[in-house]
Amino acid sequence: MNAQGRKEIAKYIASLEEIKNKLETMRDEEEDKFYNMPEGLQESNRGEQMQEAIETLETACDSIDEAISSLQEI
């Protein structure tokens, strides 16, 4: 791959890292909301939905990490 292609990939990596940081912030905020809820509400339907959202955001962040690692190998 030529220098121009590597520069483009570096831009994509930077964009992915920015997206990942935003998703991590969202996940952290959702976790804070969840853990600040009374225990009874944590076990409610709403609490379960929040946990699922937290897990999905974590999965998305992990996937972005994998994509970044793959691009860095190029």
Side-chain angles (χ1 to χ4, degrees), residues 22-40:
K22 289 178 182 181
L23 291 174
E24 286 175 331
T25 298
M26 291 175 68
R27 180 207 56 213
D28 293 345
E29 290 171 356
E30 194 71 8
E31 280 181 335
D32 287 344
K33 289 179 203 172
F34 177 78
Y35 289 118
N36 287 317
M37 293 172 70
E39 191 173 318

Side-chain angles (χ1 to χ4, degrees), residues 9-24:
I9 288 174
K11 289 178 188 178
Y12 299 147
I13 289 171
S15 294
L16 287 170
E17 288 171 341
E18 183 178 337
I19 292 166
K20 181 184 166 224
N21 288 336
K22 289 178 182 181
L23 291 174
E24 286 175 331

Side-chain angles (χ1 to χ4, degrees), residues 34-47:
F34 177 78
Y35 289 118
N36 287 317
M37 293 172 70
E39 191 173 318
L41 288 177
Q42 287 179 357
E43 297 173 4
S44 71
N45 189 33
R46 175 70 181 132

